[in-house]
Amino acid sequence: MQDVARAAGVSVATVSKVVNDRYGVSKATHDRVTTVINELGYETSLGAQSLRSHKTNVIGVLVAEFEPFSTELLKGASAAIGSTGYELLAYSGGHRGGAVGWERRSLSRLGGTLIDGAIIVTPTVVGASNGVPVVAVDPHTGPSGIPTVDSDNFAGAVLATEHLLGLGHRRIALLGGRPDLESARLREDGFRHAMAAAGVPVDEDLVRLGGYRPETAAAPARELLTLPEPPTAIFAANDLSAIRTMEVAQELGLSVPDDVSVIGFDNVPESALASPPLTTVDQPLQAIGARALEMLVELLEGREPATPHVRMPTALVERASCRRI
């Protein structure tokens, strides 16, 4: 502010009046100060602004880490924020995978000083609001007392399994997610439901935990593919695990889909770029991010969302990683 005052030839108090739209400044002076502000790229401190008005007009999107799933959600929130009058701050809690409580630490750092409200992506603790409005996306333990947006994990898993069954596969493996996550539990439930509905017993030797991460999916994928009687198809609980499974298959000299069919879940951009392109279940990640932002703006404007839990539909996306047997 001192730099602006010096360049405009006015007092710091005058700059403060212009920045905060107060009376007592002539139009000519106001225009001169505004021109200098634009030339210098000056912005008020969010922290100082918060102390004065208790509002920053910034919405935080808090994630444990930036990976394809959270990045797609962020794109959706970014596209939806344009007409709201808010700005978006993307913040990583800096913890990979399973650290519990990262959202509490993130909200303690940002809540009330840098952001007016937060979208928390896959929170481990959904009760951590820290006094600011919060919307949860795909919380680890499922919907609870705060507004939540997720996708129909159960129905999506049914779609994936029915697709493999429809191609003639009966020896189908499940490379599941993490046992502490509601999404992983629902995807396994959907898999088992579809198998039972088709009258096909689940071979428990073909059920493994992949952990939703490439580095944790590699070993169980290799175990499945090197069994004396390997599966003809693998349903991986997310795309990153599915892509790693295809890479492991190729390392073992197997062809996808000639030797083994692979299907994923999420439809992140990497799935279409895989070799071969991955058949997967689409959950509309960008639409989920946009809806979460809309719900948070409603809360910030003093309105309760009409539906506190929004569940988005899933759909099958057929590509080249599955074949009929």
Side-chain angles (χ1 to χ4, degrees):
M1 196 174 286
Q2 290 175 339
D3 291 339
V4 172
R6 188 179 303 110
V10 298
S11 67
V12 171
T14 298
V15 176
S16 177
K17 288 179 181 179
V18 171
V19 168
N20 294 288
D21 290 324
R22 294 176 185 156
Y23 295 107
V25 180
S26 69
K27 184 179 183 306
T29 300
H30 185 284
D31 291 347
R32 185 165 74 255
V33 171
T34 301
T35 298
V36 171
I37 286 173
N38 292 333
E39 288 173 350
L40 296 181
Y42 169 79
E43 278 290 344
T44 56
S45 162
L46 289 176
Q49 181 178 325
S50 173
L51 289 173
R52 288 192 302 270
S53 66
H54 305 290
K55 190 173 182 182
T56 64
N57 289 323
V58 175
I59 286 174
V61 179
L62 312 185
V63 302
E65 59 177 313
F66 292 110
E67 37 70 44
F69 177 89
S70 60
T71 301
E72 289 302 297
L73 293 168
L74 181 59
K75 289 178 185 176
S78 177
I81 203 165
S83 61
T84 65
Y86 287 91
E87 296 178 355
L88 204 61
L89 172 70
Y91 182 85
S92 169
H95 298 277
R96 295 176 61 83
V100 174
W102 62 268
E103 51 281 283
R104 282 199 177 114
R105 291 185 289 272
S106 298
L107 283 170
S108 294
R109 285 178 178 272
L110 306 177
T113 55
L114 291 180
I115 60 174
D116 294 336
I119 298 168
I120 309 182
V121 178
T122 60
T124 57
V125 182
V126 294
S129 66
N130 203 50
V132 300
V134 166
V135 172
V137 172
D138 197 19
H140 283 202
T141 55
S144 63
I146 66 173
T148 301
V149 189
D150 59 18
S151 67
D152 197 335
N153 291 289
F154 179 88
V158 170
L159 282 173
T161 310
E162 287 180 342
H163 179 64
L164 295 175
L165 290 165
L167 293 174
H169 295 277
R170 294 297 181 266
R171 192 162 173 75
I172 303 173
L174 172 69
L175 188 61
R178 283 172 36 195
D180 59 322
L181 302 190
E182 179 74 352
S183 63
R185 184 187 68 78
L186 289 169
R187 291 174 198 183
E188 180 171 348
D189 287 352
F191 165 76
R192 292 182 180 276
H193 175 84
M195 293 286 279
V200 179
V202 174
D203 185 341
E204 297 301 332
D205 287 340
L206 300 183
V207 178
R208 296 286 196 281
L209 291 179
Y212 280 159
R213 305 183 69 87
E215 60 267 28
T216 56
R222 187 174 297 271
E223 291 171 7
L224 289 169
L225 292 168
T226 55
L227 287 170
E229 189 181 353
T232 63
I234 298 176
F235 169 32
N238 74 337
D239 285 348
L240 296 185
S241 298
I243 292 168
R244 187 68 185 106
T245 297
M246 293 198 297
E247 292 170 348
V248 170
Q250 290 158 3
E251 291 165 7
L252 294 170
L254 301 173
S255 170
V256 178
D258 292 337
D259 295 314
V260 61
S261 293
V262 179
I263 190 169
F265 199 113
D266 283 341
N267 196 27
V268 296
E270 288 78 357
S271 63
L273 302 174
S275 180
L278 179 67
T279 295
T280 187
V281 174
D282 175 73
Q283 52 173 333
L285 297 176
Q286 293 192 25
I288 290 173
R291 185 69 189 97
L293 184 123
E294 292 166 1
M295 292 170 72
L296 184 56
V297 170
E298 289 174 1
L299 290 174
L300 290 169
E301 293 177 350
R303 296 178 285 128
E304 288 295 323
T307 305
H309 175 210
V310 175
R311 176 154 285 169
M312 297 284 198
T314 48
L316 183 71
V317 179
E318 293 187 54
R319 295 195 179 105
S321 63
C322 298
R323 76 171 184 95
R324 185 174 299 276
I325 61 170

